[in-house]
Amino acid sequence: MALFHFHVTQIKRSAGQSAVAAAAYRSGEKLHSEYYGEDSDYTRKGGVICSEILLPPQAPPSFSDRETLWNAVEKVERGKRAQLAYSFDIALQNEFSMQENIELARHFLLEQCVSRGMVADYAIHQPDKKDGGIQNPHFHVMCPIRPIEPDGKWGNKQRREYVLDEQGERIRDEAGNYVFNAVPTTDWGKPETLEFWREQWAQLCNTRFAEKGLDCRIDHRSYERQGVEQIPTQHEGPTVRAMEAKGICTDKGDLNRWVRSANAKLNNIRQIISKLLAWLKEVKAELSKPQEPLIVDLLGRYFAGRNAGAWSQKAKLGNLKSYSAAVSYLHTNNISTLSDLESRLDGYDKTASSLKSSLAAKEQRIKKLDRLVQLADFYREGKPVYDKLNEIKWKKKREEYAAQHERALDLFYMARRELKPYQTDGNKLPLKNWQKEKAVLEQEYTSERQQLSAVQQDLKSIRQIRYAIESIRHEQERTAQTKNHKCEIEI
């Protein structure tokens, strides 16, 4: 099935990441990091089909070596919180052969990235299909954020744009320094550029679909922008997918199963409602009379005809039960005419739309709460390490301790920064409130899914009533055709 996934993030030291380690993982190679003085060995990693580095003309030829390239990036980025590279994660298509997918990915990178002066280090992945699931071919791309100048040297990420007064003179701040804005030297990180890349990838795939005579298409726009009433799932990532493949349930996996189930019900309901409304419009036109016929009367005629042709008392009893159930449903819901039935379906249509919006909002909030709880865990686990670090007075011992607990400290700093708006007096976090809110949202989510099931059950009753009315309509058509035939014979 054709699908669109095009996700871009940044690899940065502030998140405890290494460009060399990231490149080794994506390419399935063993690379040595000069910055950290350690090896990253992923030579046993499976599923890597091929990898290649695409260079613009001004890049040094030595950058075609992966270890050389990313060590050069690590060296030029000196800051402890430096942004190192853009990381692309893009889905390939099962409708294309692997060779076609490789050619498609390479064509896209040369046309959209390398032509802009970017270095593109890409790797094609196709993990083994597990438990009869669908293939998941995709490719990863890493591009240094810092541009390369025409002389082959690294350029600046930003330039200073000084703020001027009405006379065109530079403005100073209270400390006497000139006020300036940091302006990116490239458009690579702009939202407009990402949107353009996403659109171009979708167009490239759709063009290939058309060339192969396939009807499937992909769209870079979100469901909301497309006008598709669909609740989006949450990106799981390789760690969650690996745990789920081993039979280990995760919060993200459970949430996505809820979303897929709700989407299936919503889509089914909307299709049924659409068909029933179209049918009602047709029936009302054919059965139009000075006074609209009552549904109960039509049902009575239908079941009377069934009983007339019934061969046993058991069959007649079954017809009676079905008639009683249909009439009970109509009376319970105050439906007497076809117009009433149409109004009922319109109401279901609005209910389905309302549930869709509510479920999507709850899904987003649950995702946010999961993130906050995760950050709270990082903060709680890293706080003793951070306190211990501050107790160490000797610089060398502090550096050794920080290096030993680098991962925990990086996660602590990140959590502290993101949780700061939520902290109250005494640096307390409303963790219990978050957990309580999540539990309430999950209960409400389950309740709304039950509402969807109730709507489906009502639609089942309406479809049974439709079948009876449709039979009466066909009977009227046959009667009318018979009368016309008799008239022709008499004439």
Side-chain angles (χ1 to χ4, degrees), residues 120-224:
D121 180 3
Y122 76 95
I124 305 291
H125 289 194
Q126 181 164 308
D128 293 336
K129 184 167 58 175
K130 300 289 182 67
D131 300 327
I134 64 171
Q135 295 282 7
N136 178 33
H138 57 277
F139 67 106
H140 296 276
V141 189
M142 286 177 58
C143 300
I145 296 177
R146 190 178 294 271
I148 299 177
E149 298 293 346
D151 60 1
K153 296 181 180 180
W154 293 110
N156 295 322
K157 295 179 183 177
Q158 299 174 333
R159 59 179 175 80
R160 293 185 177 185
E161 189 175 88
Y162 290 95
V163 179
L164 307 178
D165 59 19
E166 295 179 355
Q167 286 74 39
E169 299 293 332
R170 296 180 181 180
I171 298 175
R172 296 179 183 271
D173 59 18
E174 295 179 355
N177 299 317
Y178 288 116
V179 179
F180 65 89
N181 296 317
V183 181
T185 56
T186 70
D187 64 350
W188 303 346
K190 290 185 176 181
E192 297 84 358
T193 304
L194 173 57
E195 176 74 3
F196 179 76
W197 280 336
R198 289 166 58 87
E199 182 180 5
Q200 291 303 305
W201 174 250
Q203 289 183 3
L204 192 62
C205 291
N206 288 335
T207 299
R208 190 60 54 87
F209 285 139
E211 291 173 354
K212 294 175 69 69
L214 300 173
D215 295 331
C216 49
R217 296 293 184 271
I218 58 176
D219 199 311
H220 71 287
R221 298 170 298 171
S222 66
Y223 288 140
E224 183 177 358

Side-chain angles (χ1 to χ4, degrees), residues 328-382:
S328 175
Y329 173 81
L330 293 172
H331 281 274
T332 300
N333 293 281
N334 198 26
I335 300 172
S336 58
T337 66
L338 293 173
S339 295
D340 294 336
L341 191 60
E342 184 175 17
S343 297
R344 184 74 176 176
L345 287 170
D346 283 334
Y348 283 144
D349 193 28
K350 294 175 182 177
T351 298
S353 296
S354 176
L355 287 173
K356 172 260 177 183
S357 299
S358 179
L359 287 168
K362 287 180 175 59
E363 184 267 341
Q364 289 297 325
R365 182 56 182 167
I366 290 172
K367 184 192 302 184
K368 177 65 174 179
L369 291 170
D370 281 338
R371 174 61 176 169
L372 291 173
V373 171
Q374 182 187 46
L375 290 172
D377 290 338
F378 291 156
Y379 185 90
R380 184 182 66 253
E381 294 168 1

Side-chain angles (χ1 to χ4, degrees), residues 35-83:
Y35 185 89
Y36 291 101
E38 60 185 19
D39 292 334
S40 295
D41 188 355
Y42 292 97
T43 52
R44 296 183 180 180
K45 171 181 170 59
V48 180
I49 304 301
C50 67
S51 62
E52 183 183 7
I53 297 176
L54 303 175
L55 300 176
Q58 73 272 26
S62 61
F63 282 2
S64 60
D65 177 75
R66 187 165 282 109
E67 189 170 274
T68 301
L69 167 64
W70 294 111
N71 273 302
V73 171
E74 294 276 12
K75 183 177 180 179
V76 73
E77 303 294 354
R78 300 177 181 178
K80 293 183 178 180
R81 306 175 62 83
Q83 300 169 346

Side-chain angles (χ1 to χ4, degrees), residues 254-311:
D254 290 340
L255 180 60
N256 282 340
R257 278 185 282 275
W258 279 0
V259 170
R260 282 190 284 268
S261 175
N263 278 333
K265 289 185 177 181
L266 281 168
N267 291 335
N268 183 51
I269 287 172
R270 299 307 297 274
Q271 290 176 10
I272 292 171
I273 290 173
S274 177
K275 291 178 181 179
L276 287 172
L277 287 172
W279 166 78
L280 266 176
K281 184 177 181 180
E282 180 184 348
V283 171
K284 285 176 67 178
E286 293 190 15
L287 298 180
S288 59
K289 293 181 180 179
Q291 184 176 357
E292 189 174 2
L294 296 178
I295 295 180
V296 173
D297 294 339
L298 295 173
L299 288 174
R301 289 169 55 185
Y302 168 72
F303 282 104
R306 284 181 63 89
N307 275 341
W311 289 93

